[in-house]
Amino acid sequence: MRRYLATLVALTLSATALSSCSGDEADPLPVRVVAMIEDDAAADPSPVEEHIRALPGVGEVSFRSKADSFADLKKSLADTPEALAGGTADNTPATVSAKVKEPALAEALELAIGTFDGVLDTTLGPDDRDVDTLATIGVVVRLAETSTAEQRAAIERAIRALPRVEDLSFETAEQTRDRLRDRCRDRGELTTAFDRVAVRDIAASFRFIVKSGDESMAPLSAVMKLEGFGTMRFVPSEVVTA
């Protein structure tokens, strides 16, 4: 149940982006890394927080207790309370949220923070600022570890069929590792932390940009239902094209 609720935390961030990105300004997407932490670490989150603060590109870091995280979930899922059946504050993970000052480092930061002691899982999501005025949004669709070639092809077809999609590309786990390792080069603590990220901890992914519009964002939810789909992350557009 705790792993399930951790997944709900990540999906809630995705749902926020899906429902709010519909504007016409080209401002970059405010982005944050959210680390869901183990119960033992939640009792004293300061070591995790300090470890994250030491990374370059990280701005404000904040903690949400298990009770706070569960309250956030209940509010976000008010229209689908059945999704929280059996969920309680006790089995909802506490979180440490870090605003990212350098969007180009967001993916590397997410993966690096996932290796820290006390961290259960991580996700990328939009910051708390209003993102209604975005003209474009970057999307990273990560495949499940067990996805087959046929499932990958079906996901690619579904993405290509979406309206307003641009710059679609595919990356293997090895390609993602090499690209992000190069981006982290000479970045102190982040370089050291990212060196601990194993290829098995990185998913193959489709990367693309979606231009906003009422007809463009909602169909993304259909991609999540396809076999072989793993997770979806929303990032600044420049992260996808860099």
Side-chain angles (χ1 to χ4, degrees):
M1 173 60 73
R2 183 175 61 177
R3 173 68 70 174
Y4 169 71
L5 290 175
T7 301
L8 277 183
V9 171
L11 289 177
T12 298
L13 288 172
S14 297
T16 299
L18 280 172
S19 63
S20 62
C21 297
S22 59
D24 56 8
E25 297 296 328
D27 296 331
L29 174 67
V31 65
R32 59 180 166 149
V33 175
V34 177
M36 288 146 274
I37 61 178
E38 299 280 4
D39 288 350
D40 290 345
D44 179 15
S46 56
V48 175
E49 292 180 275
E50 290 307 313
H51 204 174
I52 293 174
R53 284 193 181 95
L55 297 173
V58 168
E60 178 184 342
V61 175
S62 59
F63 172 73
R64 298 287 285 170
S65 69
K66 294 162 68 69
D68 291 336
S69 294
F70 187 64
D72 292 342
L73 279 178
K74 287 198 296 183
K75 181 178 179 180
S76 298
L77 299 172
D79 293 336
T80 55
E82 64 277 6
L84 276 175
T88 65
D90 187 60
N91 56 28
T92 302
T95 64
V96 174
S97 177
K99 293 185 178 181
V100 179
K101 296 187 295 184
E102 299 182 53
L105 298 179
E107 290 179 281
L109 285 166
E110 181 198 3
L111 290 167
I113 291 170
T115 69
F116 291 176
D117 290 341
V119 174
L120 172 68
D121 201 357
T122 58
T123 188
L124 280 177
D127 196 7
D128 294 331
R129 285 169 45 198
D130 185 5
V131 295
D132 286 345
T133 60
L134 292 173
T136 62
I137 184 171
V139 183
V140 179
V141 173
R142 295 174 179 165
L143 302 184
E145 184 178 359
T146 57
S147 64
T148 65
E150 291 77 14
Q151 290 168 349
R152 169 186 160 184
I155 291 173
E156 181 173 3
R157 288 194 298 271
I159 294 172
R160 291 191 182 279
L162 295 172
R164 298 178 180 242
V165 167
E166 299 179 348
D167 299 320
L168 176 62
S169 63
F170 177 78
E171 274 192 346
T172 66
E174 291 80 6
Q175 289 170 331
T176 298
R177 177 201 57 192
D178 293 346
R179 176 176 58 82
L180 295 179
R181 179 179 289 165
D182 185 65
R183 189 166 292 179
C184 294
R185 196 178 307 278
D186 300 323
R187 299 308 295 262
E189 290 291 331
L190 181 55
T191 303
T192 302
F194 192 79
D195 281 344
R196 292 194 291 268
V197 178
V199 172
R200 66 176 178 272
D201 297 324
I202 304 173
S205 61
F206 287 102
R207 308 165 62 80
F208 55 98
I209 289 173
V210 176
K211 298 180 69 173
S212 65
D214 292 341
E215 79 283 12
S216 61
M217 299 307 294
L220 282 170
S221 59
V223 177
M224 297 180 184
K225 301 175 183 179
L226 296 176
E227 292 185 0
F229 170 86
T231 62
M232 187 178 292
R233 298 290 188 261
F234 297 92
V235 297
S237 298
E238 61 267 33
V239 174
V240 171
T241 56

